[in-house]
Amino acid sequence: MFSLLLGELLTKYNLAIVLSIENLSKKYGSLKAVDQLTLQVEEGSIYGLLGPNGSGKTTTLGMVLDVIRPGDGSFSWFGNGISKETKQRVGALLETPNFYPYLSAKQNLQVVADIKGADYSNINKMLDLVGLGSRGNSAFKGFSLGMKQRLALAAAMLNDPEVLVLDEPTNGLDPQGIAEVRDLILRIAAQGKTIILASHLLDEVEKVCTHVAVLQNGKLLASGPVADILAANENVLISTPDTERALALLAHLPYVANFRREKEFIILTLQEGYNSTDINRDMFAQNIVLSQLIVRRKSLEAQFLEIINTESK
Amino acid sequence: MNLLRIEFRKIFPYRTFWAILGIYTLLLILIVYASSNITINGQTMGSSTYQFPGIWQRLTFIASYFNLLLGILIIVLVSDEYSFRTFRQQVIDGLSRTELVKAKFYVVLAIASFSTIFLLALGLYFGLLYSATKGFETVVSQIDFLSYYFVQSVAYMVLALFFCILIRKSGLAIIAFIAYAKIIEPLLHFGLDDKLDKFLPMKVLSSLTPMPGQEMLDQLTTPTDMLTPQWAVLPALVYTGLLLLFSYLILKMRDL
């Protein structure tokens, strides 16, 4: 009785971590495509793998999806190795939508349904969900890239898996298509499903994900909740009639990470734990009156470059 | 059987598949029909080609040349899986690499069954139409050649499967397949003693459907040492098994 309870507890604990990757590495010749990657994806999160092209995102996903042989290291799904059972709990779209061009959308999904053991009735449901309900009988080869991408999403979701792995799902889509796919991802996530999303678009990761891992040259540069990784370090813009005195004061304030003058503004970055209130108070204490105080978040690109530059130093 | 059902779902709507299979059946009918007009030593073969029970050996011997076409069909089907990246997607969706090979092997068995049954129909049609003796005993007495043909066509297609999994590109795989079957191994036969080369794969496979009248030729020239069809079955099955194993190992060692 007790051991049964313990087992249940353990199962529950294991369920909390959907995907665990440990020291995963892959070499192509002398190129380290993935280098000692370690990360964990929790149940219910939308986990973004962020990195420029060629940073090892697809290779990483290929390894955990059983199509690329890991060079070194290990991974587990739901606490187990990869098997037919674990694969049926994971729906995935890797790199490109892969279908038989001469088969119709429906026929293609039937093949997928047979492999996944999914109910045929899901086929029409999923086609409707991704907006291909009226094109079910058209051949795949006639589809636009956006339609192919959406069919791949339908295929990934066909047996209602707990986890969705999406590699660049908005690649090649027009703005409306991108918005639709993102909306779809958020709707799926709202059902409590875990989503692992690889993307080179910061904006996408920031809009969609709860957690993020930043990759470059196969190395993990940073990982954690999106708010911590991407939104830290705001810029504060101030302007004052007394610019010279303000600059002198800023040089003495310990919590100002750096500052520079730009036209009538002084732009400064604060260390963690401080915000614009501290600046305003200290300036006022020195009888410097600010005419403007603006908090501006750094552009995502700037943050991204900063993460990459700091880590590679 | 689920695997075979999945394969049929992909193959049946595929026009290329039917085109190649259509060419195979048409050419075979044409050749068998025309073979009665072949003239040897100023004597037209006539209906003697269709006499039971010799027709089974003659039919399977003719059909053995068309195994190349069946091999090409397999290469087309398998190389598609690479170029459409559907091998990769199927592994992501839940199949194992063993199942990828198994599924294709089932297709091979299905096609070999089709062509064997087709030969049976062809033999019965021409035989019952033209043969002088039509007694049941005579008709079935050498029908076991059909089973040797089945083993042979399976082995040919598995060889094609192996080359395609090894090379991945259809054009190159077809060239390698034909080059091995028709050029490389025959060249090896020259360099090797008959005692050895009768165990080489292509020689074993052709021993399954020996040339009609080979005994007569042997009396005129130096006899070639070949296995009897009965004895060739075992090595043919061993080669088939090994090629399937190698195909699996290649898939297992490579990234998809």
Side-chain angles (χ1 to χ4, degrees), chain A residues 191-246:
Chain A
Q191 298 167 16
K193 296 193 189 304
T194 311
I195 295 174
I196 301 171
L197 175 85
S199 177
H200 64 277
L201 304 170
L202 272 146
D203 168 61
E204 179 162 283
V205 169
E206 210 227 358
K207 279 189 179 137
V208 174
C209 297
T210 58
H211 292 71
V212 64
V214 183
L215 288 172
Q216 197 202 14
N217 296 330
K219 283 202 173 77
L220 181 68
L221 298 186
S223 67
V226 166
D228 293 358
I229 303 289
L230 293 183
N233 295 331
E234 289 161 340
N235 274 344
V236 179
L237 277 69
I238 56 174
S239 69
T240 166
D242 227 347
T243 311
E244 295 309 321
R245 279 185 63 214

Side-chain angles (χ1 to χ4, degrees), chain A residues 169-180:
Chain A
T170 58
N171 222 359
L173 299 188
D174 56 20
Q176 196 198 340
I178 293 176
E180 280 171 17

Side-chain angles (χ1 to χ4, degrees), chain B residues 4 7 10 15 26 56 59 66 69 72 84 108 119 129 134 138 152 170 172 175 180 200-201 204 217 233 238 242:
Chain B
L4 188 59
E7 292 301 314
K10 304 178 206 166
R15 277 203 208 123
L26 277 180
W56 299 120
L59 258 186
F66 291 88
L69 212 50
I72 290 171
F84 304 153
V108 165
L119 281 188
L129 214 58
K134 287 166 191 167
T138 330
Q152 185 193 50
S170 62
L172 285 176
I175 291 172
Y180 180 77
L200 286 180
V204 164
L217 271 179
V233 169
V238 169
L242 282 177

Side-chain angles (χ1 to χ4, degrees), chain A residues 26 28 65-69 84 87-88 90 92 94-96 98-103 107 110-112 114-116 120, chain B residues 2 5-6 9-11 13-14 80-81 84-86 88-97 99 252-256:
Chain A
K26 176 75 181 178
Y28 290 115
L65 290 172
D66 193 30
V67 292
I68 297 178
R69 274 161 55 89
K84 206 176 197 79
K87 280 179 185 178
Q88 289 192 341
V90 180
L94 192 65
E95 251 177 321
T96 45
N98 306 322
F99 294 102
Y100 298 90
Y102 56 88
L103 293 184
Q107 286 171 324
Q110 271 175 344
V111 171
V112 178
D114 277 338
I115 293 173
K116 293 187 171 182
Y120 292 143
Chain B
N2 188 35
R5 192 176 61 190
I6 296 171
R9 272 197 201 289
K10 304 178 206 166
I11 292 173
Y14 195 20
D80 274 352
E81 303 273 9
F84 304 153
R85 291 184 156 220
T86 36
R88 173 184 240 204
Q89 191 62 44
Q90 280 160 30
V91 168
I92 291 175
D93 288 344
L95 293 189
S96 65
R97 282 159 174 76
E99 284 172 317
K252 192 175 151 86
M253 275 167 1
R254 280 211 197 129
D255 297 338
L256 277 175

Side-chain angles (χ1 to χ4, degrees), chain A residues 130-149:
Chain A
V130 298
L132 289 174
S134 59
R135 299 299 300 271
N137 291 318
S138 320
F140 175 73
K141 63 183 162 201
F143 280 14
S144 70
L145 186 56
M147 292 161 75
K148 289 178 178 177
Q149 201 76 275

